[in-house]
Amino acid sequence: MLAVLSWWLMLQALGLLALPLALYLFRHLPERGYGFARPLGLLLSGYLLWIGASLGFLSNTRSAILFVMALVGLASLAVWRRNPDLVSSFWHEKRHVVVASEVVFAVAFFGWAFVRAHNPEIAATEKPMEIAFLNAILRSEHFPPHDPWLSGFAISYYYFGYLLMALLTKLSGVAGSVAFNLAIALLFALTVSGSFSLAYNLIKADKAPGPRSDLSAISWSLLGPLFVAVVGNLEGLLEVLHNRGLGSSAFWQWL
């Protein structure tokens, strides 16, 4: 449970560090990009760590990660100083969206972490390869990381996504096996919150301003994550129903 909380807190910190940047870069959106602050903070921090460790300026350590996060924070601070009302005006106008976005992200992240806690095996499909890449990045001082199968060589495969998860793993100090399952929960939560934000922006762009309209847009925006992350793949639900013996043989044969 502490590992789940630490990852959630780190994502909150990354989102806050990048919030002024997100609000400025996506200022033309109705939501002003609040829902994209977390992935933006993670992406910028991960990119700075990757480029620094690839060129030899940085090492793949927790201190270096804190350093690149500080750089992201300084960039946000510079934007905030030039636009002092950026955050306060956003909060005044969109606090309902902030609360909704946080609830959506938290429910998705903690909910899927609960699911993975009851099915934590790292086996089948590409999972052994993925945990090997994650551990290789965690043990590499510079990039490209060491190849876990071919000693003395570097990974000849795209690995930036694993690097982002390794960044959070180093910050939290959890084992790679725990981080692997937290990464799955995080990717699900970012997909859910991102689709919620995208749906809100699309709906709100076509609605009149006002708090009632805002609440209505938030309600309809929940269809975004429902369609993208839940209804898009009912395989798991169907497997559970089939294993429980629900449904006739004719139905399953038809399906």
mmCIF file of all heavy atoms in Angstrom, residues 161-205:
data_model
loop_
_atom_site.group_PDB
_atom_site.id
_atom_site.type_symbol
_atom_site.label_atom_id
_atom_site.label_comp_id
_atom_site.label_asym_id
_atom_site.label_seq_id
_atom_site.Cartn_x
_atom_site.Cartn_y
_atom_site.Cartn_z
ATOM 1 N N GLY A 161 9.718 4.466 -22.863
ATOM 2 C CA GLY A 161 8.592 4.221 -21.964
ATOM 3 C C GLY A 161 9.029 3.491 -20.704
ATOM 4 O O GLY A 161 8.579 3.806 -19.597
ATOM 5 N N TYR A 162 9.942 2.518 -20.870
ATOM 6 C CA TYR A 162 10.476 1.808 -19.709
ATOM 7 C C TYR A 162 11.317 2.753 -18.846
ATOM 8 O O TYR A 162 11.338 2.637 -17.615
ATOM 9 C CB TYR A 162 11.327 0.615 -20.157
ATOM 10 C CG TYR A 162 10.590 -0.358 -21.038
ATOM 11 C CD1 TYR A 162 10.776 -0.367 -22.417
ATOM 12 C CD2 TYR A 162 9.690 -1.274 -20.488
ATOM 13 C CE1 TYR A 162 10.090 -1.261 -23.228
ATOM 14 C CE2 TYR A 162 9.009 -2.173 -21.292
ATOM 15 C CZ TYR A 162 9.204 -2.158 -22.659
ATOM 16 O OH TYR A 162 8.522 -3.043 -23.457
ATOM 17 N N LEU A 163 12.000 3.685 -19.500
ATOM 18 C CA LEU A 163 12.807 4.658 -18.767
ATOM 19 C C LEU A 163 11.931 5.525 -17.869
ATOM 20 O O LEU A 163 12.293 5.830 -16.728
ATOM 21 C CB LEU A 163 13.591 5.524 -19.754
ATOM 22 C CG LEU A 163 14.610 6.506 -19.196
ATOM 23 C CD1 LEU A 163 15.747 6.713 -20.193
ATOM 24 C CD2 LEU A 163 13.982 7.865 -18.864
ATOM 25 N N LEU A 164 10.760 5.928 -18.367
ATOM 26 C CA LEU A 164 9.849 6.749 -17.556
ATOM 27 C C LEU A 164 9.397 5.986 -16.318
ATOM 28 O O LEU A 164 9.305 6.556 -15.219
ATOM 29 C CB LEU A 164 8.631 7.159 -18.393
ATOM 30 C CG LEU A 164 8.904 8.070 -19.591
ATOM 31 C CD1 LEU A 164 7.597 8.388 -20.311
ATOM 32 C CD2 LEU A 164 9.594 9.356 -19.176
ATOM 33 N N MET A 165 9.119 4.696 -16.488
ATOM 34 C CA MET A 165 8.712 3.895 -15.336
ATOM 35 C C MET A 165 9.898 3.640 -14.397
ATOM 36 O O MET A 165 9.735 3.581 -13.178
ATOM 37 C CB MET A 165 8.123 2.564 -15.806
ATOM 38 C CG MET A 165 6.857 2.702 -16.653
ATOM 39 S SD MET A 165 5.522 3.626 -15.852
ATOM 40 C CE MET A 165 5.559 5.170 -16.793
ATOM 41 N N ALA A 166 11.101 3.509 -14.970
ATOM 42 C CA ALA A 166 12.292 3.335 -14.139
ATOM 43 C C ALA A 166 12.575 4.593 -13.325
ATOM 44 O O ALA A 166 13.053 4.510 -12.181
ATOM 45 C CB ALA A 166 13.492 2.989 -15.017
ATOM 46 N N LEU A 167 12.281 5.748 -13.895
ATOM 47 C CA LEU A 167 12.449 7.009 -13.163
ATOM 48 C C LEU A 167 11.601 7.009 -11.893
ATOM 49 O O LEU A 167 12.087 7.339 -10.801
ATOM 50 C CB LEU A 167 12.070 8.180 -14.085
ATOM 51 C CG LEU A 167 12.178 9.607 -13.556
ATOM 52 C CD1 LEU A 167 12.463 10.571 -14.710
ATOM 53 C CD2 LEU A 167 10.898 10.062 -12.852
ATOM 54 N N LEU A 168 10.353 6.622 -12.021
ATOM 55 C CA LEU A 168 9.468 6.558 -10.857
ATOM 56 C C LEU A 168 9.918 5.466 -9.884
ATOM 57 O O LEU A 168 9.784 5.615 -8.666
ATOM 58 C CB LEU A 168 8.031 6.294 -11.314
ATOM 59 C CG LEU A 168 7.369 7.425 -12.104
ATOM 60 C CD1 LEU A 168 6.037 6.959 -12.681
ATOM 61 C CD2 LEU A 168 7.159 8.648 -11.233
ATOM 62 N N THR A 169 10.466 4.391 -10.427
ATOM 63 C CA THR A 169 10.942 3.298 -9.579
ATOM 64 C C THR A 169 12.115 3.749 -8.722
ATOM 65 O O THR A 169 12.179 3.471 -7.525
ATOM 66 C CB THR A 169 11.360 2.098 -10.441
ATOM 67 O OG1 THR A 169 10.276 1.725 -11.298
ATOM 68 C CG2 THR A 169 11.736 0.909 -9.580
ATOM 69 N N LYS A 170 13.065 4.464 -9.332
ATOM 70 C CA LYS A 170 14.209 4.962 -8.573
ATOM 71 C C LYS A 170 13.775 5.979 -7.526
ATOM 72 O O LYS A 170 14.308 6.005 -6.410
ATOM 73 C CB LYS A 170 15.240 5.575 -9.527
ATOM 74 C CG LYS A 170 16.173 4.565 -10.180
ATOM 75 C CD LYS A 170 17.287 5.254 -10.932
ATOM 76 C CE LYS A 170 18.298 4.235 -11.439
ATOM 77 N NZ LYS A 170 19.084 3.635 -10.341
ATOM 78 N N LEU A 171 12.835 6.824 -7.871
ATOM 79 C CA LEU A 171 12.365 7.823 -6.913
ATOM 80 C C LEU A 171 11.695 7.169 -5.708
ATOM 81 O O LEU A 171 11.892 7.586 -4.569
ATOM 82 C CB LEU A 171 11.364 8.767 -7.587
ATOM 83 C CG LEU A 171 11.914 9.998 -8.300
ATOM 84 C CD1 LEU A 171 10.783 10.784 -8.923
ATOM 85 C CD2 LEU A 171 12.714 10.879 -7.358
ATOM 86 N N SER A 172 10.909 6.137 -5.964
ATOM 87 C CA SER A 172 10.155 5.492 -4.886
ATOM 88 C C SER A 172 10.989 4.485 -4.108
ATOM 89 O O SER A 172 10.700 4.199 -2.944
ATOM 90 C CB SER A 172 8.920 4.788 -5.449
ATOM 91 O OG SER A 172 9.297 3.748 -6.334
ATOM 92 N N GLY A 173 12.013 3.920 -4.773
ATOM 93 C CA GLY A 173 12.854 2.940 -4.109
ATOM 94 C C GLY A 173 12.230 1.559 -3.989
ATOM 95 O O GLY A 173 12.739 0.718 -3.250
ATOM 96 N N VAL A 174 11.140 1.290 -4.716
ATOM 97 C CA VAL A 174 10.500 -0.025 -4.648
ATOM 98 C C VAL A 174 11.224 -1.001 -5.566
ATOM 99 O O VAL A 174 11.991 -0.609 -6.450
ATOM 100 C CB VAL A 174 9.006 0.053 -5.028
ATOM 101 C CG1 VAL A 174 8.272 1.033 -4.151
ATOM 102 C CG2 VAL A 174 8.849 0.441 -6.502
ATOM 103 N N ALA A 175 11.001 -2.263 -5.361
ATOM 104 C CA ALA A 175 11.604 -3.290 -6.202
ATOM 105 C C ALA A 175 11.034 -3.229 -7.610
ATOM 106 O O ALA A 175 9.895 -2.784 -7.823
ATOM 107 C CB ALA A 175 11.355 -4.666 -5.597
ATOM 108 N N GLY A 176 11.829 -3.703 -8.575
ATOM 109 C CA GLY A 176 11.382 -3.667 -9.956
ATOM 110 C C GLY A 176 10.106 -4.452 -10.194
ATOM 111 O O GLY A 176 9.259 -4.058 -11.002
ATOM 112 N N SER A 177 9.944 -5.572 -9.486
ATOM 113 C CA SER A 177 8.742 -6.394 -9.662
ATOM 114 C C SER A 177 7.494 -5.665 -9.184
ATOM 115 O O SER A 177 6.418 -5.776 -9.782
ATOM 116 C CB SER A 177 8.897 -7.712 -8.904
ATOM 117 O OG SER A 177 9.188 -7.467 -7.535
ATOM 118 N N VAL A 178 7.618 -4.901 -8.100
ATOM 119 C CA VAL A 178 6.486 -4.099 -7.606
ATOM 120 C C VAL A 178 6.215 -2.948 -8.563
ATOM 121 O O VAL A 178 5.063 -2.650 -8.905
ATOM 122 C CB VAL A 178 6.782 -3.570 -6.186
ATOM 123 C CG1 VAL A 178 5.651 -2.657 -5.709
ATOM 124 C CG2 VAL A 178 6.984 -4.718 -5.215
ATOM 125 N N ALA A 179 7.298 -2.309 -9.010
ATOM 126 C CA ALA A 179 7.154 -1.177 -9.928
ATOM 127 C C ALA A 179 6.494 -1.595 -11.235
ATOM 128 O O ALA A 179 5.740 -0.824 -11.835
ATOM 129 C CB ALA A 179 8.523 -0.567 -10.204
ATOM 130 N N PHE A 180 6.767 -2.822 -11.690
ATOM 131 C CA PHE A 180 6.173 -3.303 -12.936
ATOM 132 C C PHE A 180 4.650 -3.256 -12.867
ATOM 133 O O PHE A 180 3.980 -2.771 -13.779
ATOM 134 C CB PHE A 180 6.643 -4.731 -13.210
ATOM 135 C CG PHE A 180 6.131 -5.312 -14.496
ATOM 136 C CD1 PHE A 180 6.830 -5.167 -15.672
ATOM 137 C CD2 PHE A 180 4.927 -6.014 -14.522
ATOM 138 C CE1 PHE A 180 6.350 -5.695 -16.857
ATOM 139 C CE2 PHE A 180 4.437 -6.552 -15.699
ATOM 140 C CZ PHE A 180 5.150 -6.385 -16.874
ATOM 141 N N ASN A 181 4.094 -3.746 -11.763
ATOM 142 C CA ASN A 181 2.638 -3.756 -11.615
ATOM 143 C C ASN A 181 2.088 -2.354 -11.373
ATOM 144 O O ASN A 181 0.987 -2.024 -11.827
ATOM 145 C CB ASN A 181 2.250 -4.694 -10.473
ATOM 146 C CG ASN A 181 2.403 -6.151 -10.857
ATOM 147 O OD1 ASN A 181 1.717 -6.655 -11.731
ATOM 148 N ND2 ASN A 181 3.339 -6.839 -10.213
ATOM 149 N N LEU A 182 2.842 -1.515 -10.668
ATOM 150 C CA LEU A 182 2.412 -0.131 -10.484
ATOM 151 C C LEU A 182 2.434 0.623 -11.817
ATOM 152 O O LEU A 182 1.601 1.500 -12.054
ATOM 153 C CB LEU A 182 3.322 0.568 -9.471
ATOM 154 C CG LEU A 182 3.171 0.122 -8.017
ATOM 155 C CD1 LEU A 182 4.210 0.795 -7.140
ATOM 156 C CD2 LEU A 182 1.767 0.435 -7.497
ATOM 157 N N ALA A 183 3.377 0.279 -12.679
ATOM 158 C CA ALA A 183 3.443 0.916 -13.996
ATOM 159 C C ALA A 183 2.204 0.590 -14.821
ATOM 160 O O ALA A 183 1.659 1.449 -15.531
ATOM 161 C CB ALA A 183 4.707 0.469 -14.731
ATOM 162 N N ILE A 184 1.736 -0.642 -14.730
ATOM 163 C CA ILE A 184 0.515 -1.029 -15.452
ATOM 164 C C ILE A 184 -0.676 -0.227 -14.927
ATOM 165 O O ILE A 184 -1.495 0.276 -15.702
ATOM 166 C CB ILE A 184 0.271 -2.542 -15.310
ATOM 167 C CG1 ILE A 184 1.371 -3.325 -16.033
ATOM 168 C CG2 ILE A 184 -1.103 -2.928 -15.869
ATOM 169 C CD1 ILE A 184 1.278 -4.824 -15.865
ATOM 170 N N ALA A 185 -0.759 -0.110 -13.603
ATOM 171 C CA ALA A 185 -1.845 0.686 -13.010
ATOM 172 C C ALA A 185 -1.736 2.144 -13.423
ATOM 173 O O ALA A 185 -2.746 2.807 -13.699
ATOM 174 C CB ALA A 185 -1.806 0.559 -11.484
ATOM 175 N N LEU A 186 -0.519 2.659 -13.483
ATOM 176 C CA LEU A 186 -0.322 4.060 -13.854
ATOM 177 C C LEU A 186 -0.707 4.319 -15.306
ATOM 178 O O LEU A 186 -1.369 5.316 -15.616
ATOM 179 C CB LEU A 186 1.140 4.453 -13.621
ATOM 180 C CG LEU A 186 1.530 5.851 -14.096
ATOM 181 C CD1 LEU A 186 0.706 6.917 -13.393
ATOM 182 C CD2 LEU A 186 3.008 6.100 -13.891
ATOM 183 N N LEU A 187 -0.298 3.428 -16.205
ATOM 184 C CA LEU A 187 -0.642 3.607 -17.611
ATOM 185 C C LEU A 187 -2.162 3.578 -17.810
ATOM 186 O O LEU A 187 -2.709 4.328 -18.623
ATOM 187 C CB LEU A 187 0.033 2.530 -18.457
ATOM 188 C CG LEU A 187 1.558 2.623 -18.531
ATOM 189 C CD1 LEU A 187 2.133 1.422 -19.260
ATOM 190 C CD2 LEU A 187 1.983 3.911 -19.207
ATOM 191 N N PHE A 188 -2.834 2.713 -17.061
ATOM 192 C CA PHE A 188 -4.293 2.679 -17.120
ATOM 193 C C PHE A 188 -4.870 3.996 -16.623
ATOM 194 O O PHE A 188 -5.770 4.578 -17.251
ATOM 195 C CB PHE A 188 -4.813 1.518 -16.276
ATOM 196 C CG PHE A 188 -6.314 1.432 -16.206
ATOM 197 C CD1 PHE A 188 -7.048 0.958 -17.283
ATOM 198 C CD2 PHE A 188 -6.997 1.838 -15.067
ATOM 199 C CE1 PHE A 188 -8.434 0.881 -17.227
ATOM 200 C CE2 PHE A 188 -8.381 1.771 -14.998
ATOM 201 C CZ PHE A 188 -9.098 1.289 -16.077
ATOM 202 N N ALA A 189 -4.355 4.505 -15.498
ATOM 203 C CA ALA A 189 -4.876 5.741 -14.917
ATOM 204 C C ALA A 189 -4.614 6.946 -15.823
ATOM 205 O O ALA A 189 -5.475 7.828 -15.965
ATOM 206 C CB ALA A 189 -4.256 5.976 -13.546
ATOM 207 N N LEU A 190 -3.429 7.000 -16.438
ATOM 208 C CA LEU A 190 -3.127 8.107 -17.353
ATOM 209 C C LEU A 190 -4.010 8.047 -18.597
ATOM 210 O O LEU A 190 -4.414 9.089 -19.134
ATOM 211 C CB LEU A 190 -1.653 8.072 -17.747
ATOM 212 C CG LEU A 190 -0.645 8.437 -16.651
ATOM 213 C CD1 LEU A 190 0.787 8.275 -17.165
ATOM 214 C CD2 LEU A 190 -0.872 9.862 -16.154
ATOM 215 N N THR A 191 -4.310 6.841 -19.054
ATOM 216 C CA THR A 191 -5.224 6.691 -20.195
ATOM 217 C C THR A 191 -6.620 7.169 -19.830
ATOM 218 O O THR A 191 -7.272 7.891 -20.602
ATOM 219 C CB THR A 191 -5.276 5.218 -20.646
ATOM 220 O OG1 THR A 191 -3.968 4.787 -20.997
ATOM 221 C CG2 THR A 191 -6.208 5.052 -21.839
ATOM 222 N N VAL A 192 -7.075 6.792 -18.646
ATOM 223 C CA VAL A 192 -8.409 7.188 -18.187
ATOM 224 C C VAL A 192 -8.496 8.703 -18.006
ATOM 225 O O VAL A 192 -9.426 9.354 -18.506
ATOM 226 C CB VAL A 192 -8.744 6.461 -16.861
ATOM 227 C CG1 VAL A 192 -9.943 7.102 -16.173
ATOM 228 C CG2 VAL A 192 -9.028 4.993 -17.127
ATOM 229 N N SER A 193 -7.531 9.280 -17.295
ATOM 230 C CA SER A 193 -7.588 10.723 -17.036
ATOM 231 C C SER A 193 -7.369 11.524 -18.312
ATOM 232 O O SER A 193 -7.975 12.588 -18.501
ATOM 233 C CB SER A 193 -6.547 11.115 -15.978
ATOM 234 O OG SER A 193 -5.244 10.778 -16.391
ATOM 235 N N GLY A 194 -6.509 11.013 -19.205
ATOM 236 C CA GLY A 194 -6.288 11.712 -20.469
ATOM 237 C C GLY A 194 -7.515 11.721 -21.359
ATOM 238 O O GLY A 194 -7.851 12.745 -21.965
ATOM 239 N N SER A 195 -8.203 10.599 -21.438
ATOM 240 C CA SER A 195 -9.419 10.535 -22.260
ATOM 241 C C SER A 195 -10.537 11.361 -21.633
ATOM 242 O O SER A 195 -11.355 11.955 -22.354
ATOM 243 C CB SER A 195 -9.858 9.083 -22.446
ATOM 244 O OG SER A 195 -10.040 8.438 -21.194
ATOM 245 N N PHE A 196 -10.572 11.432 -20.304
ATOM 246 C CA PHE A 196 -11.539 12.304 -19.632
ATOM 247 C C PHE A 196 -11.288 13.769 -19.997
ATOM 248 O O PHE A 196 -12.221 14.506 -20.335
ATOM 249 C CB PHE A 196 -11.453 12.122 -18.116
ATOM 250 C CG PHE A 196 -12.253 13.118 -17.330
ATOM 251 C CD1 PHE A 196 -13.618 12.948 -17.139
ATOM 252 C CD2 PHE A 196 -11.642 14.242 -16.786
ATOM 253 C CE1 PHE A 196 -14.365 13.880 -16.435
ATOM 254 C CE2 PHE A 196 -12.386 15.183 -16.067
ATOM 255 C CZ PHE A 196 -13.744 15.000 -15.887
ATOM 256 N N SER A 197 -10.037 14.185 -19.952
ATOM 257 C CA SER A 197 -9.695 15.567 -20.285
ATOM 258 C C SER A 197 -9.988 15.886 -21.743
ATOM 259 O O SER A 197 -10.513 16.959 -22.067
ATOM 260 C CB SER A 197 -8.214 15.828 -19.983
ATOM 261 O OG SER A 197 -7.944 15.673 -18.615
ATOM 262 N N LEU A 198 -9.650 14.953 -22.617
ATOM 263 C CA LEU A 198 -9.902 15.169 -24.035
ATOM 264 C C LEU A 198 -11.394 15.289 -24.309
ATOM 265 O O LEU A 198 -11.838 16.181 -25.050
ATOM 266 C CB LEU A 198 -9.299 14.027 -24.849
ATOM 267 C CG LEU A 198 -9.421 14.123 -26.362
ATOM 268 C CD1 LEU A 198 -8.743 15.368 -26.883
ATOM 269 C CD2 LEU A 198 -8.815 12.882 -27.015
ATOM 270 N N ALA A 199 -12.184 14.407 -23.702
ATOM 271 C CA ALA A 199 -13.634 14.468 -23.892
ATOM 272 C C ALA A 199 -14.202 15.770 -23.348
ATOM 273 O O ALA A 199 -15.068 16.401 -23.972
ATOM 274 C CB ALA A 199 -14.299 13.272 -23.205
ATOM 275 N N TYR A 200 -13.708 16.214 -22.184
ATOM 276 C CA TYR A 200 -14.186 17.474 -21.609
ATOM 277 C C TYR A 200 -13.905 18.648 -22.542
ATOM 278 O O TYR A 200 -14.774 19.496 -22.774
ATOM 279 C CB TYR A 200 -13.524 17.724 -20.251
ATOM 280 C CG TYR A 200 -13.889 19.071 -19.663
ATOM 281 C CD1 TYR A 200 -15.054 19.228 -18.921
ATOM 282 C CD2 TYR A 200 -13.086 20.189 -19.878
ATOM 283 C CE1 TYR A 200 -15.410 20.465 -18.405
ATOM 284 C CE2 TYR A 200 -13.425 21.423 -19.366
ATOM 285 C CZ TYR A 200 -14.583 21.556 -18.629
ATOM 286 O OH TYR A 200 -14.936 22.796 -18.131
ATOM 287 N N ASN A 201 -12.698 18.688 -23.100
ATOM 288 C CA ASN A 201 -12.351 19.789 -23.998
ATOM 289 C C ASN A 201 -13.223 19.792 -25.250
ATOM 290 O O ASN A 201 -13.636 20.854 -25.730
ATOM 291 C CB ASN A 201 -10.872 19.693 -24.385
ATOM 292 C CG ASN A 201 -9.958 20.134 -23.257
ATOM 293 O OD1 ASN A 201 -10.143 21.198 -22.675
ATOM 294 N ND2 ASN A 201 -8.974 19.322 -22.939
ATOM 295 N N LEU A 202 -13.506 18.614 -25.778
ATOM 296 C CA LEU A 202 -14.350 18.531 -26.972
ATOM 297 C C LEU A 202 -15.785 18.965 -26.673
ATOM 298 O O LEU A 202 -16.411 19.675 -27.465
ATOM 299 C CB LEU A 202 -14.336 17.101 -27.515
ATOM 300 C CG LEU A 202 -13.023 16.626 -28.145
ATOM 301 C CD1 LEU A 202 -13.080 15.129 -28.429
ATOM 302 C CD2 LEU A 202 -12.744 17.397 -29.418
ATOM 303 N N ILE A 203 -16.297 18.538 -25.512
ATOM 304 C CA ILE A 203 -17.678 18.875 -25.149
ATOM 305 C C ILE A 203 -17.792 20.340 -24.778
ATOM 306 O O ILE A 203 -18.699 21.051 -25.232
ATOM 307 C CB ILE A 203 -18.151 17.984 -23.980
ATOM 308 C CG1 ILE A 203 -18.248 16.531 -24.436
ATOM 309 C CG2 ILE A 203 -19.487 18.471 -23.434
ATOM 310 C CD1 ILE A 203 -18.435 15.546 -23.301
ATOM 311 N N LYS A 204 -16.877 20.825 -23.958
ATOM 312 C CA LYS A 204 -16.943 22.194 -23.454
ATOM 313 C C LYS A 204 -16.753 23.221 -24.555
ATOM 314 O O LYS A 204 -17.294 24.332 -24.479
ATOM 315 C CB LYS A 204 -15.864 22.384 -22.374
ATOM 316 C CG LYS A 204 -15.977 23.687 -21.594
ATOM 317 C CD LYS A 204 -17.256 23.766 -20.794
ATOM 318 C CE LYS A 204 -17.289 25.058 -19.973
ATOM 319 N NZ LYS A 204 -18.583 25.233 -19.290
ATOM 320 N N ALA A 205 -16.014 22.867 -25.587
ATOM 321 C CA ALA A 205 -15.793 23.792 -26.702
ATOM 322 C C ALA A 205 -17.086 24.108 -27.424
ATOM 323 O O ALA A 205 -17.181 25.116 -28.133
ATOM 324 C CB ALA A 205 -14.785 23.203 -27.677
#
